[in-house]
């Protein structure tokens, strides 16, 4: 029997040129910039407990980023990469999938790992490359990986994880398990050949994978306007015969709902989905970058008004699930037993290696 010719098409005697922007995808948003909900919009079904966990993870990541950026400037760690302004994209999506689903990260999704329970000690072990680091100190800071958290180890070459995710998800399907793979990447990484190979393979093999693109406007100093001529990343899915969702990456409810739907499609319909989350990298690319050389303060200010943490905080406050002081940084009046223990251990360490520390400044005798 003859095989069907793909694609199926019709014949026309009229010459048709398809316009360059035949597909224009709107951005799904539930929470407006002021933290109120669009009229008639249906929020995802999120319990108070889950909402507070999502919020405290956002607060934790913001603090971690700030402190670790400073630690790099003080010469304590060699490198760091902040996710300032993009916390809702990683945390909202990680919250919408199951713990057993595999996460493959690019490098700016520490929020997803923290949401899964990676502790502050585990972050420190990796960032300081010590013997307790799960990667045994072999990697640069930020290249996290944890089998216990179903979080594949990060690798630096852009796009690596995209075809790997297609293959891993296909394996999940062949094994007949009920889990999917969520793979994160930037809009810059979507210019790599691996992006096209990965999406095409996943679409053809109907692998249960969620391709989650964080479109944060920049690939280091290159703005999105110099990276591609099309309507962003989402319409590319159409070319591969894949479903797509464009979502406001600074709206944690929209991200959650979009990812939940993508997971349903991946597992119930049995198809991959491409999500494009629109956001902005509010910090420099990494500790090696200074954004003042390629963008204006005014542009940054526009995005500060769309801050995902403040937007969620406003909603939680209006709902009565947090109070103003809950949103503020929590500090102890007096040191806890664990803090006292850690202080003694630090002093002993400084006494042992006095030449490595300004010991008098630290008040260690
Ligand atoms: C194959 C490859 N080319 C270049 C680089 C250098 N590089 C590291 S991050 C980056 C920008 C990536 O931008 P994007 O994917 O948008 O992610 P973002 O940093 O904005 O989160 C580049 C060019 C690399 N790591 N790998
Ligand atoms: Mg980018």
């Amino acid at each position: 029997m003859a095989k069907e010719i793909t694609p199926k098409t019709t014949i026309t005697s009229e010459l048709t040129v398809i316009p360059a922007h035949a597909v224009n995808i709107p951005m799904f948003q539930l929470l407006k910039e002021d933290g109120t909900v669009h009229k008639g919009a249906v929020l995802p079904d999120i319990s108070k407990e889950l909402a507070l966990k999502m919020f405290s993870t956002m607060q934790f990541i913001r603090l971690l980023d700030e402190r670790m950026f400073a630690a790099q400037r003080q010469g304590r760690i060699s490198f760091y990469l902040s996710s300032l302004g993009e916390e809702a994209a990683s945390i909202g999506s990680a919250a919408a999938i199951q713990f057993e689903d595999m996460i493959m990260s690019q490098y700016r999704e520490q929020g997803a790992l923290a949401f899964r329970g990676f502790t502050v000690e585990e972050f420190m072990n990796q960032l300081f490359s010590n013997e307790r680091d799960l990667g045994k100190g072999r990697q640069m800071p930020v290249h996290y990986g944890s089998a216990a958290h179903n979080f594949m180890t990060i690798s630096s070459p852009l796009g690596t994880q995209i075809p790997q995710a297609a293959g891993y998800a296909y394996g999940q399907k062949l094994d007949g398990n009920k889990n999917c793979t969520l793979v994160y990447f930037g809009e810059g990484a979507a210019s790599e050949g691996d992006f096209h190979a990965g999406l095409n393979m996943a679409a053809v093999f109907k692998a249960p994978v969620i391709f989650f693109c964080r479109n944060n406007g920049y690939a280091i100093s290159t703005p999105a306007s110099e990276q591609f001529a099309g309507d962003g990343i989402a319409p590319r899915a159409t070319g591969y015969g894949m479903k797509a969702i464009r979502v406001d990456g600074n709206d944690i409810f929209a991200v959650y709902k979009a990812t939940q739907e993508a997971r349903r499609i991946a597992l119930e319909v049995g198809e991959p989905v491409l999500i494009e989350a629109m956001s902005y990298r509010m910090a420099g690319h990494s500790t090696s970058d200074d954004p003042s050389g390629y963008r204006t303060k005014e542009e940054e200010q526009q995005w500060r008004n769309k801050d995902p943490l403040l937007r969620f905080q406003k909603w939680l406050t209006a709902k009565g699930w947090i109070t103003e002081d809950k949103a503020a940084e929590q500090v102890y009046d007096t040191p806890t037993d664990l803090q006292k223990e850690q202080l003694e251990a630090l002093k002993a360490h400084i006494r042992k290696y006095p030449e490595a520390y300004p010991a008098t400044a630290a008040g260690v005798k």
Side-chain angles (χ1 to χ4, degrees), residues 332-348 351:
Y332 294 106
D333 287 342
T334 50
T336 62
D337 287 347
L338 179 62
Q339 285 172 330
K340 284 183 202 157
E341 207 179 286
Q342 287 176 338
L343 183 63
E344 287 314 312
L346 178 64
K347 283 183 179 173
R351 263 185 236 112

Side-chain angles (χ1 to χ4, degrees), residues 10-204:
T10 48
I11 295 171
T12 173
S13 59
E14 259 177 54
L15 176 63
T16 316
V17 177
I18 306 300
H21 288 82
V23 187
N24 272 113
I25 301 181
M27 181 178 83
F28 175 55
Q29 184 186 68
L30 295 169
L31 276 187
K32 292 187 275 188
E33 278 176 35
D34 64 4
T36 60
V37 180
H38 278 284
K39 206 161 168 248
V42 182
L43 292 184
D45 190 12
I46 294 181
S47 67
K48 179 178 175 183
E49 191 193 1
L50 177 59
L52 294 184
K53 181 179 171 186
M54 289 158 77
F55 183 64
S56 64
T57 308
M58 288 175 94
Q59 285 183 307
F60 167 69
I61 286 300
R62 203 157 270 206
L63 272 180
L64 181 81
D65 284 355
E66 188 189 304
R67 301 282 153 91
M68 291 303 109
F69 185 89
Q72 193 278 339
R73 288 293 186 260
Q74 291 163 0
R76 296 179 199 280
I77 58 174
S78 60
F79 179 80
Y80 193 71
L81 222 144
S82 165
S83 68
L84 186 67
E86 295 182 64
E87 299 93 341
S90 58
I91 295 167
S93 52
I97 61 170
Q98 297 297 309
F99 185 84
E100 292 72 26
D101 295 335
M102 176 55 75
I103 290 183
M104 298 206 184
S105 160
Q106 176 153 308
Y107 47 57
R108 210 182 292 285
E109 299 91 6
Q110 51 265 47
L113 186 55
F115 185 84
R116 290 207 156 173
F118 204 64
T119 64
V120 72
E121 284 83 1
E122 288 172 311
F123 275 107
M124 294 306 110
N125 293 340
Q126 202 288 330
L127 293 168
F128 284 83
S129 305
N130 67 24
E131 62 184 354
R132 291 196 203 151
D133 166 32
L134 298 172
K136 307 248 187 305
R138 295 188 189 107
Q139 276 273 21
M140 269 175 79
V142 170
H143 292 64
Y144 313 108
S146 171
H149 296 87
N150 299 313
F151 193 95
M152 190 67 77
T153 303
I154 293 167
S155 47
S156 276
L158 288 173
T160 309
Q161 74 281 18
I162 305 174
Q164 287 176 353
Y168 194 90
Y170 187 51
Q172 287 171 316
K173 178 177 164 165
L174 293 183
D175 283 349
N177 77 30
K178 291 278 165 275
N179 290 106
C180 66
T181 297
L182 172 65
V183 55
Y184 294 109
F185 50 93
E187 88 296 335
S191 295
E192 287 290 335
D194 275 357
F195 166 85
H196 305 281
L199 264 74
N200 191 50
M201 181 180 160
V204 171

Side-chain angles (χ1 to χ4, degrees), residues 211-242:
F211 294 100
F212 195 102
C213 178
R214 292 178 295 95
N215 185 344
N216 62 7
Y218 287 88
I220 314 188
S221 56
T222 309
S225 57
E226 291 174 28
Q227 294 181 50
F228 41 76
D231 172 36
I233 309 301
R236 296 183 191 176
T238 309
Y240 295 111
M242 190 185 296

